[in-house]
Amino acid sequence: MSVGLIALLDDVAALAKAAAASLDDIAAQAGKAGAKAAGVVIDDAAVTPRYVTGFSPARELPIIGRIALGSLKNKLLFLLPAAIALSLLAPQAITPLLMAGGLFLCYEGAEKVYELVSPHGAHHHEEQLDPARTDAKSFEDSKVAGAIRTDFILSAEIMAITLASVPDAGPVAQALILALVGIVITAGVYGVVALIVKADDAGLWLAGRPARSPAGAGLRLLGRGLVKGMPYLLKLLGALGTAAMIWVGGGILVHGAEMFGFAAPGHMLHDAGEAAAQAVPALGGLVSWLVQAAGSGIVGLVVGAALIPVVSMVVAPGWRWLSGRLRKLRAA
C-alpha cells in the first residue's frame, strides 16, 4: 500500500472522528437546549389530550398522529427556516422575540391560575363545535386544526428557546440542533399523549381479565388503578404544565432583562439561590435551582397577572375588531 494512500486513509479517519465528535457535540447541545424548553413541553403534553375528547376510541390515535404530523411541519417547514433566517439576518431580534414569548407564557399560566381561583373571571375564546350538529369529518378536522394552531405557538417558543441556547453555533449546526430538538420533542410529547389517552382503554382491558391466579388478580387491580387514577394524573399534569409555563416565562424575562442591562432581578435570584445552597450544603445545587426557579415563577406570575386586564380590555377587543375588518374587506 502506498504512503499516499495510507495518508489519505489517515485523513479520512481523522475526518470521521471529527464528524463523530461534531455529532456528539450537536446532540449534547440539543439535549441542553431541549431541557431549557421543558416547561413548554410539559404544557404541550398537558394541553393536547383535550383535543381527542368526544371521539370514538378508534379515532383517538389517528387524530394524535395527525396533530403530531402538523406539529412536525410547524417546527421543520416553517419555524426552523424562520429561526435560521433570523439568526443570520437579525440576531439582535432573538432576545426581544424570546421575551415576547416569555410574556405569552406568563400570561397563559397566570390566566389558568386565575380561572382556577375565579372560574368566571377569565375565558379562552376558542371556536366550539357541537359534534351532534356537525358531520364527523368536519368536527375532527376542526379539532385537529385547532390543536395544530395551538401547537404552532408552543413550538415557536420551543424553537426560540433552543436557538437562544446555541447563539455561537454556525447556521448548519443551529439547523441540525433545531431539527433534532424538534423531532425528539414532537415524538416524546405525542408519544406520551398517546399513552395517556389510551391508558383508560388499557385499564379497562386489564380490569376485565380473569382473576384465577394472583397474577390475574394483580392485573385486574392495576387496571382499576389506571381507570381511577388517570383523571388525577391529567389534573397533576395540567398543574405541572401551568407551573412550568410561569416559571419558564419568568426566567426568560429575567434573563432577557439582564441582556438589556437591567440585571438587578437576576442578581437577586442568584444571590438568594447561593444563600440557600450554603444553608443546605448537602443539597446545594438542587436547593439553589429550586430557589431561583421559585423566584422566576413569582416574577412570571406577577407579570402574567398584570397582563390579564391588558389582554382582555385592549388586545382581545383590538384583535376582534381587526378580524372583523379583514372579513369585511375579503367579502367586498
Side-chain angles (χ1 to χ4, degrees):
M1 186 179 294
S2 67
V3 175
L5 181 56
I6 293 175
L8 177 61
L9 292 174
D10 285 342
D11 290 342
V12 170
L15 287 172
K17 289 179 181 179
S22 179
L23 288 173
D24 287 342
D25 184 52
I26 286 171
Q29 291 186 69
K32 292 178 181 178
K36 291 185 178 181
V40 192
V41 171
I42 294 171
D43 188 67
D44 206 358
V47 165
T48 305
R50 65 189 174 94
Y51 287 101
V52 297
T53 302
F55 293 98
S56 67
R59 291 303 306 159
E60 288 174 345
L61 290 182
I63 289 170
I64 292 171
R66 291 181 63 188
I67 298 172
L69 182 60
S71 174
L72 207 55
K73 288 181 179 177
N74 283 341
K75 294 180 179 73
L76 300 185
L77 298 185
F78 304 114
L79 295 170
L80 191 155
I84 297 302
L86 188 67
S87 178
L88 290 173
L89 301 177
Q92 68 277 7
I94 294 175
T95 298
L97 286 174
L98 193 61
M99 293 182 73
L103 290 173
F104 168 78
L105 291 176
C106 293
Y107 164 74
E108 282 287 305
E111 189 187 39
K112 289 179 180 179
V113 174
Y114 186 35
E115 287 176 343
L116 183 65
V117 298
S118 178
H120 303 293
H123 303 279
H124 283 291
H125 300 283
E126 294 181 357
E127 181 184 359
Q128 299 292 330
L129 291 178
D130 183 357
R133 298 183 180 181
T134 310
D135 67 89
K137 186 177 186 309
S138 298
F139 182 65
E140 179 177 318
D141 290 345
S142 175
K143 282 283 193 176
V144 170
I148 293 173
R149 282 195 299 270
T150 300
D151 174 89
F152 187 89
I153 298 171
L154 297 174
S155 291
E157 191 63 13
I158 288 169
M159 300 301 265
I161 292 171
T162 302
L163 184 64
S165 302
V166 288
D168 299 325
V172 174
Q174 284 180 335
L176 290 173
I177 291 167
L178 287 168
L180 184 57
V181 168
I183 292 169
V184 170
I185 283 180
T186 302
V189 165
Y190 290 100
V192 169
V193 168
L195 290 175
I196 291 172
V197 167
K198 301 308 289 185
D200 281 347
D201 295 340
L204 288 172
W205 184 83
L206 289 172
R209 295 300 87 197
R212 299 190 185 97
S213 66
L219 289 176
R220 286 171 65 93
L221 185 62
L222 176 61
R224 293 194 190 101
L226 281 174
V227 173
K228 292 180 180 179
M230 284 312 298
Y232 299 101
L233 176 61
L234 288 173
K235 288 182 180 179
L236 176 62
L237 189 60
L240 287 174
T242 299
M245 288 180 80
I246 296 171
W247 152 57
V248 172
I252 289 171
L253 295 180
V254 169
H255 181 67
E258 288 180 316
M259 300 290 287
F260 286 106
F262 187 55
H267 287 323
M268 288 177 60
L269 293 181
H270 180 267
D271 292 343
E274 289 296 313
Q278 291 176 6
V280 190
L283 300 172
L286 176 61
V287 171
S288 175
W289 180 85
L290 287 174
V291 169
Q292 293 185 62
S296 296
I298 292 171
V299 171
L301 190 60
V302 170
V303 171
L307 286 173
I308 290 175
V310 175
V311 172
S312 61
M313 291 187 290
V314 179
V315 177
W319 177 253
R320 287 196 293 270
W321 177 85
L322 180 60
S323 298
R325 295 289 297 176
L326 290 174
R327 282 196 296 269
K328 289 180 180 178
L329 289 174
R330 285 196 296 266

